[in-house]
Amino acid sequence: MKNIVKYLLVGFIFGIVLTKSEAVSWYRIYEMFHFQSFHMYGIISVAILTGIIGIQIIKRNNIKDIKGESIEIPDKEKGSARYWIGGLFFGLGWALVGSCPGPIFILLGAGFWTVLLVLFGALVGTYLYGLLKSKLPH
Amino acid sequence: MNVIFQTWSWYISGFLIGMIMLCLIYFGKSFGMSSNLRSLCSMAGLGKRVAFFDFDWKAQRWNLVVVLGAMLGGFVAVHFMSDASNVAINPQTISQLAALGIDAPNGKLVPDALFGNSILESPKSIFILLIGGILIGFGSRYAGGCTSGHAISGLSNLQIPSLKAVIGFFIGGLIMAHLLLPLIVK
């Protein structure tokens, strides 16, 4: 129960921050890809900067996680094709419907029902990847 | 009380998003939203047909709880923390969108032209949202992550694969925003 509350709360704050920063807005994504505002670039840069500093503090001080176990952040698998090609596909979708997976859920929660079509598409896309995985270059 | 209703600045928002990622690391988890799509496929029983979905999704339940929280957060933020001053995008962007037949924000997060209920009467509009979703779902799983998993988590941990994915996101995004979108929505 305590676990559920903990994750629910993190998600709740995430939903509020992404909405209030307007990172869930189709307009903000369009504006970003047209280099007409610094807003989205600022959000992403500060998030990464905060993350880099935080992770360095965790690593250098051997900070333990909530259960007292040492924190291991696994490296991403090596490779190229999957990142370039997969990334390209993702970017095409991101700029078309203006939402990445987090915002899809957040917008749905906020009551934008037509986003259900995007979620359904995203599930189909995920399924297609699972189906074709062995045939794709990674 | 303006602090609640106005658009949150990029530095506060960016910092909070970074802290959310660090918080999940402290909980012994990782920040990544698109993996929930795989969990949902698995929950739907697709693991019987495709091996990729035959995994222990119950171990990922915590992430689905994060999603539920995010949906509640979205609901509260839109219904109780918004006003007409929101989504004040560049006027140049607004006139560019007007030329494409897309309505100005006026406080709205998404344009009616693409997300309003009336789009359900247009097969083309339905198709746009479905295709966009398919590209997002396929691309994020192929690349092994999305904006949260690669751009925020991966780059914060100085991962070269994530840098490749993020450059891929931007190449794809620029192609769509500049070349394809004008053709699609016109």
Side-chain angles (χ1 to χ4, degrees), chain A residues 20 22 25 33 36 114 137, chain B residues 7 81 93 96 109 115 142 178:
Chain A
K20 287 312 299 166
E22 296 163 3
S25 168
F33 282 124
Q36 287 164 337
T114 50
Chain B
T7 302
M81 300 168 69
T93 313
Q96 209 170 303
L109 288 169
F115 294 92
Y142 193 176
H178 290 264

Side-chain angles (χ1 to χ4, degrees), chain A:
Chain A
M1 189 59 208
K2 208 168 83 190
N3 266 324
I4 291 183
V5 173
K6 178 171 95 185
Y7 293 119
L8 204 61
L9 195 65
V10 169
F12 184 71
I13 297 168
F14 179 59
I16 290 185
V17 174
L18 254 68
T19 306
K20 287 312 299 166
S21 64
E22 296 163 3
V24 300
S25 168
W26 183 92
Y27 293 105
R28 288 292 183 190
I29 306 303
Y30 181 92
E31 191 188 40
M32 169 181 81
F33 282 124
H34 281 266
F35 305 106
Q36 287 164 337
S37 168
F38 177 72
H39 187 75
M40 288 302 304
Y41 294 103
I43 294 175
I44 298 171
S45 310
V46 174
I48 295 169
L49 197 68
T50 307
I52 291 175
I53 296 170
I55 288 177
Q56 289 306 314
I57 292 174
I58 289 171
K59 284 185 174 171
R60 286 173 196 201
N61 299 292
N62 266 323
I63 291 177
K64 305 276 185 260
D65 71 11
I66 199 165
K67 291 186 202 117
E69 286 164 28
S70 60
I71 293 176
E72 305 277 346
I73 309 170
D75 284 338
K76 303 277 183 196
E77 258 172 64
K78 291 213 165 23
S80 276
R82 68 175 301 182
Y83 298 113
W84 292 116
I85 308 170
L88 188 85
F89 274 106
F90 176 83
L92 289 168
W94 189 19
L96 181 59
V97 294
S99 42
C100 34
I104 290 175
F105 292 111
I106 295 170
L107 287 171
L108 265 179
F112 296 95
W113 301 116
T114 50
V115 177
L116 267 175
L117 289 166
V118 183
L119 176 62
F120 181 72
L123 291 170
V124 171
T126 303
Y127 178 69
L128 286 176
Y129 171 74
L131 206 60
L132 302 172
K133 191 179 178 219
S134 58
K135 299 185 181 73
L136 297 168
H138 277 78

Side-chain angles (χ1 to χ4, degrees), chain B residues 95-162:
Chain B
S95 48
Q96 209 170 303
L97 288 172
L100 292 173
I102 295 175
D103 46 305
N106 296 322
K108 291 183 288 125
L109 288 169
V110 295
D112 287 335
L114 293 171
F115 294 92
N117 287 333
S118 62
I119 67 131
L120 296 174
E121 290 156 24
S122 149
K124 187 183 143 189
S125 304
I126 291 173
F127 187 72
I128 289 175
L129 296 188
L130 281 175
I131 287 292
I134 290 173
L135 289 166
I136 289 168
F138 180 80
S140 60
R141 214 62 276 121
Y142 193 176
C146 59
T147 336
S148 48
H150 277 311
I152 313 290
S153 302
L155 291 185
S156 290
N157 196 26
L158 311 173
Q159 298 292 302
I160 298 296
S162 295

Side-chain angles (χ1 to χ4, degrees), chain B residues 65-84:
Chain B
V65 178
V66 173
V67 166
L68 187 66
M71 293 174 78
L72 291 170
F75 179 83
V76 169
V78 165
H79 293 276
F80 305 106
M81 300 168 69
S82 296
D83 69 26

